[in-house]
Amino acid sequence: MADALIVQRSVLETIPGLKQLVMLVSIALAIAAGIWLVFWSQGPSYSVLFGNLEGREAGQVMDQLNAAGIPFKLDDKSGAILVPEDKVRSARVQLASQGLPQSSGMESIDGQSAFGTSQFMESARYQHALETELGRTISQVQGVSSARVHLALPKQSVFVRDRKKPSASVMLQLFGGRHLEPGQVQAIVHVVASSVPELEANEVTVVDQNGTLLSSPEDEEQFALTAKQFEYQNEIERAYSQRVEDMLIPIVGAGRVRARVTADVDFTMTERTSEDYNPRTTAVRSEQTALEQRRPGETAQSQSATRNFEVDRAITHTRAPVGILRKLSVAVILDDLQKTDASGTTTTTPLAQADIDRFTNLVKQAIGFDEQRGDKVNVMNASFKVDAPSTANEEATPFYRQPWFKEAGKQIVGVVLVLLLGFLIVRPVMRSLMTVSVRPAPGGSIGELAGDRVTIGGAAAGASIEQQVAAARNLVGQDPKRAAAVVKDWVAADS
């Protein structure tokens, strides 16, 4: 039995050298990947500041970023300049104050020699510069964050019937929670149409970042006319409402009166032409007299006269004015009266009917009440309810778009990947390398050393420690030299 005991302290001793090297390299790579993930999760997120810049422009931009202390990266593949996501807006403002970049607009064609440049390249470069300049101009409109303009400029033919009209499309990036008024959209359309020769306003299409069509080329003139009429009516209503509030606020106090006016405006366009004749007033227009005489002895002479009279005529052409106010309807709500006594206690009391009648007369005087026109005025008293001011910011950026959310997500992803790397790669490899076992020699008995349990000389796996110790003593007594050699091997392996 003594000759049958051969002990293996580690599985590493039985693995070939090349396989050991591969396992150690795998562990090193896994550790390096974990370290990289940690640094990646702690580092800031970079976004594109500018792309497709020329070498000179890119160098100027990077010099300005260095001077401003803004970290940046240069993408070797696309040539784009990247800065931390929370620094994008401030970096663009800083560069814009220095007039950079300059190669994206009309400045890109300044100082460039036309020698060796084809006509197609010149036209393409000019069109791109014009599109960029229009985008810059449109970005100045209130509520517009950025704008891109695409021009379709077909090559004109010498034949009139074969000519095609140019067209344009405008893509708007609006600020969060903002929207454009119809007048602003029409202004953008006319800015683009006025900047391109032979481009008509109905050939310009404007959309926003949500894909909403803001301008419709169809029935544009009718829409513009309707919009003007609606704006004119609203302006009349706002003016009358302001009159009423300016009259009542000094009496009842600020914030204690609400006035709304509805104006009935007639936008009918009427033209009339009339022609009147007055037979009593006449004037001689022309007169013709003929006298015929004969010689003596012949028939007596004859005389005739013709007169043309002109009758008095009047032609009248009348055009009725557009936007005639036909009727006003006014609704006014007044809050309860507030009274403060000597002790500082404030009490509210409803308005008396006499006060309401007095305020009604004031409102009629303010709007120029005309009973024959059909004007109506209604003044009533009600207790105002003051709502608590809302602290919510309607235009706040959603939390999942906040920089802190992205940074926290990066850190969580990094921690999860490091843990998966440790449990799925490093831990199994280290466990296999640290395994200790005992195998039997050929023709001998089985001996195992697994953890703290030792089975020697064919002892049962469920034997007690006393039985195993007795078996070891018996083995040492039978072959002391072999037992000493085994102990020596163990000590050498542990050292």
Side-chain angles (χ1 to χ4, degrees), residues 251-256 334-341 345-351 381 383-384 386:
I251 302 175
V252 299
R256 310 184 66 82
L334 300 175
D335 194 9
D336 293 341
L337 290 178
Q338 290 186 354
K339 296 182 180 179
T340 304
D341 55 15
T345 304
T346 302
T347 58
T348 59
T349 57
L351 293 175
N381 170 230
S383 178
F384 285 9
V386 180

Side-chain angles (χ1 to χ4, degrees), residues 138-146 172-176 178-180 184:
I138 296 173
S139 300
Q140 303 302 317
V141 178
Q142 186 177 8
V144 178
S145 173
S146 61
L172 301 179
Q173 181 75 27
L174 304 180
F175 288 108
R178 301 289 183 88
H179 68 280
L180 296 182
Q184 293 177 297

Side-chain angles (χ1 to χ4, degrees), residues 195-218:
S195 303
V196 180
E198 300 183 4
L199 177 60
E200 299 179 0
N202 57 1
E203 296 294 335
V204 180
T205 304
V206 182
V207 297
D208 62 6
Q209 72 271 21
N210 298 321
T212 304
L213 181 63
L214 301 180
S215 67
S216 178
E218 297 149 354

Side-chain angles (χ1 to χ4, degrees), residues 64 92-100:
Q64 292 296 330
R92 287 180 178 173
V93 172
Q94 179 71 21
L95 293 173
S97 64
Q98 303 297 327
L100 294 174

Side-chain angles (χ1 to χ4, degrees), residues 167 222 242 488:
S167 60
Q222 182 178 359
Q242 191 64 37
K488 184 178 180 181

